[in-house]
Amino acid sequence: MATLKEIAHTMVSNRRGVLAADESIATMSSRLEGVGVAPSDENRRTYRELIVTTPDLADSISGIILADDTLRQELSDGRTFPAALADMGILAGIKVDTGAKPLAGADGEKVTEGLDGLRDRVAEYVRLGATFAKWRAVITIGDGLPSERSIRANVHGLARYAGLCQEGGLVPIVEPEVLMDGDHSLARCQQVTRVVLRALFDELALMQVRLDGMVLKPNMVVAGKECAQQPGVEEVAQTTVDTLREVVPPEVPGIAFLSGGQSPELATRHLGAMQNCGPLPWELTYSFGRALVAPALETWRGDASRWQAAQRALLVRAVANAAAR
Ligand code: 13P
């Protein structure tokens, strides 16, 4: 059986990256409705089947993060999703957090939940074929935000999650996402990302999380969506790499970015530009959700006759991101 270190290495190396197909039932339902597809269990299953059966996906995708419902569903040929992924040479991951909920006493800030019972759930997910996991914490930038308490609460959750995963045999993807919402500058995003990552690595050390058996999934350092002054691709790439170099220990095997609402093309260009900011102590790759799957969903729209075209649309993004590496 592969060690945590070996699994983490497989996830981020060989010019491959991770695909996030772990939208919660509510999020997946609204994405389906957005393209005119009824948000049923069966349609969520069919859409996920489209994603995971895309031919040649394993050349650019090392692992796919699944949601709890998908892990328990089957493809039309009767295989479970993790079994189908294993046949293709792709690792199966599982989102184990139960969502970001309002933080008590905080103004619009959230804390991610899901620690209760997590040890038993990890054991079950391992039995179902998962080899890695994901937990996403969200940090909001705003007037006086983020607060110290939201940062501390969120990194505490991430570190305890990561420890439980490693104890149970799953590689944790540790995702502290500083959101793009707002009109803040690139410099402000950099400052907040730096503070959050510092707090995170302090907490991971406290909880004795093995850095060589995890993958960090951060935001890129970008300006807020509503900021009038949008930086260029090179500036985003350089600022992101500079920030990560300051705070991410070299023992971490890989950094796999979220796309966070960037267009698929821009996310790929940022990733490509970062590879020229070397030498880098870690692999820099993708763990995109929307930036990989949005064109496929848009192409499919629930129409069986567009199944292969949708798979080609996914493959175009996956290959472009692998090439950007
Ligand atoms: P996006 O790339 O769409 O931000 O999704 C990545 C993810 O897994 C968020 O948790």
Side-chain angles (χ1 to χ4, degrees), residues 183-199:
D183 62 359
H184 54 269
S185 65
L186 180 77
R188 177 90 177 109
C189 178
Q190 179 180 32
Q191 182 214 0
V192 172
T193 302
R194 186 191 286 129
V195 167
V196 169
L197 290 177
R198 278 219 176 100

Side-chain angles (χ1 to χ4, degrees), residues 31 34-36 47 293-303 306 309-310 313:
R31 299 256 160 89
V35 295
Y47 165 69
V293 302
L297 185 58
E298 197 52 53
T299 304
W300 175 54
R301 296 182 159 266
D303 181 343
R306 290 199 286 257

Side-chain angles (χ1 to χ4, degrees), residues 19-23 31 65 95 97 134-138 173 175 177 217 257-262 267 287-293:
L19 188 159
D22 61 328
E23 300 88 349
R31 299 256 160 89
I65 316 171
K95 187 247 298 293
D97 69 69
K134 182 191 105 173
W135 176 292
R136 170 179 180 251
V138 293
I173 292 183
E175 180 177 7
E177 175 174 5
K217 176 165 176 169
F257 292 99
L258 59 95
S259 60
Q262 299 180 48
S287 175
F288 298 157
R290 286 161 286 179
L292 277 167
V293 302

Side-chain angles (χ1 to χ4, degrees), residues 253-301:
I255 297 176
F257 292 99
L258 59 95
S259 60
Q262 299 180 48
S263 74
E265 292 75 20
L266 190 57
T268 305
R269 288 174 65 206
H270 285 150
L271 182 70
M274 281 186 238
Q275 312 297 326
N276 302 324
C277 302
L280 306 166
W282 355 255
E283 302 270 358
L284 279 191
T285 190
Y286 42 96
S287 175
F288 298 157
R290 286 161 286 179
L292 277 167
V293 302
L297 185 58
E298 197 52 53
T299 304
W300 175 54
R301 296 182 159 266

Side-chain angles (χ1 to χ4, degrees), residues 74-145:
E74 290 175 352
L75 275 69
S76 356
D77 64 11
R79 286 177 301 167
T80 65
F81 277 78
L85 290 179
D87 290 345
M88 291 174 76
I90 296 178
L91 299 170
I94 176 73
K95 187 247 298 293
V96 303
D97 69 69
T98 55
K101 307 285 159 55
L103 177 63
D107 182 17
E109 293 186 295
K110 293 184 169 172
V111 62
T112 300
E113 297 186 348
L115 289 172
D116 286 358
L118 184 54
R119 178 176 278 120
D120 294 341
R121 287 196 292 130
V122 166
E124 186 190 10
Y125 291 139
V126 169
R127 279 197 302 277
L128 290 170
T131 55
F132 69 95
K134 182 191 105 173
W135 176 292
R136 170 179 180 251
V138 293
I139 301 290
T140 306
I141 297 183
D143 206 9
L145 303 184

